[in-house]
Amino acid sequence: MPKKTTTLRPTDRRFGMRLFAAAGVAAAAAVPFGLLLVLVEGQWRPLRDLDRDAANGLHRIAVDDPAWTSTLRVLSDYVWDPLTLRVAVALLTGWLLWRGARRLAAWAAATAVTGGLIGLGVKTVVERARPALEDPVAHAPGYSFPSGHAMTATTSFAVFLLVLLPLVPRRARVVCWVVAVLSVLGVGFTRVALGVHWFSDVLGGWLLGLAVVVLTSRAFEAWRSDTGQRPTHVAEGLEPELTGPSPEPDSAPR
């Protein structure tokens, strides 16, 4: 009998290429966090010294300046608190559903939930103790690595940016990026300055949060490709069609 030959359909080839690209992006995003985790677990001396120097230096300032410390606590416990940011993402998700952007709403919710669960899981596995400083100015429960505040800020402000950028005039988008970046950096600073996290905890939260956003964004881009939509650039948001009357296409996957 003649051998039966099979050929991959164009859609299968495209899916394979996207899957390979997504795996490469996932590895690139996860490698820095993995390296940091190895250094933390191995108590690498330069990183340990950096953690202690940053914690002790900022703690002295916090002890000597109660007004400054109170400001940091308001920012950390209310303005940039994970619960505040998650509620904001939930409200944004609800608005997207009302707007008819169901898949974008699913992406926003999945990014927030995935980030929270992964962060909690890594904390449980690593079991790193929080800084123990004399005359502490703040307290926090649970383990230390990675910082949940830093990770939640990274995923949340990424969601805000990638969803809302299409609705912002091009000239104002730089301001949005600056506010988001400064907020994420500010969250990390407050956690170290209040003595409830090491610097490496914050760095780990940033890196892990970024990895989650990259992975979920790649999945969303794959969906856009399957529905025949053009690729987007990070500067214009995940779904530029959000400004139109119909955010999602009616066409079936190709």
Side-chain angles (χ1 to χ4, degrees):
M1 293 180 63
K3 290 185 179 180
K4 191 175 183 179
T5 59
T6 59
T7 58
L8 289 175
R9 293 177 298 175
T11 53
D12 294 331
R13 288 197 297 268
R14 288 199 300 269
F15 177 75
M17 292 173 62
R18 288 197 301 271
L19 189 62
F20 181 77
V25 172
V31 163
F33 175 78
L35 176 60
L36 178 64
L37 177 57
V38 169
L39 296 179
V40 168
E41 287 284 76
Q43 297 186 3
W44 190 48
R45 184 171 180 177
L47 181 61
R48 186 177 58 189
D49 291 344
L50 175 62
D51 278 340
R52 289 179 177 174
D53 290 344
N56 291 330
L58 291 175
H59 181 65
R60 285 194 294 269
I61 297 175
V63 171
D64 294 339
D65 193 340
W68 170 246
T69 302
S70 297
T71 301
L72 295 179
R73 295 190 65 171
V74 169
L75 291 172
S76 182
D77 296 343
Y78 298 99
V79 179
W80 290 326
D81 182 71
L83 178 59
T84 302
L85 296 178
R86 287 168 185 157
V87 169
V89 170
L91 292 175
L92 178 62
T93 302
W95 177 80
L96 289 172
L97 290 172
W98 174 82
R99 183 71 178 77
R102 297 182 301 277
R103 291 180 179 85
L104 192 58
W107 171 81
T111 301
V113 172
T114 301
L117 292 177
I118 290 178
L120 183 60
V122 174
K123 276 179 180 284
T124 303
V125 171
V126 176
E127 295 185 342
R128 189 186 197 187
R130 293 181 183 271
L133 304 171
E134 293 185 6
D135 301 320
V137 297
H139 299 275
Y143 296 117
S144 192
F145 183 90
S147 166
H149 277 68
M151 187 171 179
T152 302
T154 302
T155 55
S156 298
F157 280 101
V159 167
F160 301 149
L161 273 177
L162 295 177
V163 168
L164 298 176
L165 276 180
L167 306 177
V168 178
R170 290 185 179 275
R171 294 182 178 179
R173 290 178 184 178
V174 174
V175 176
C176 295
W177 278 98
V178 170
V179 170
V181 171
L182 289 180
S183 296
V184 172
L185 295 177
V187 169
F189 176 81
T190 61
R191 302 307 285 170
V192 178
L194 289 172
V196 293
H197 275 296
W198 304 108
F199 170 73
S200 55
D201 298 335
V202 169
L203 182 58
W206 288 337
L207 292 175
L208 192 55
L210 181 61
V212 169
V213 172
V214 169
L215 290 175
T216 58
S217 299
R218 290 294 302 182
F220 190 85
E221 283 292 334
W223 167 78
R224 283 184 61 87
S225 179
D226 284 340
T227 54
Q229 293 177 285
R230 66 175 179 84
T232 60
H233 190 273
V234 67
E236 60 181 341
L238 280 184
E239 197 164 72
E241 296 82 5
L242 191 62
T243 57
S246 180
E248 293 183 0
D250 296 327
S251 58
R254 296 181 182 179

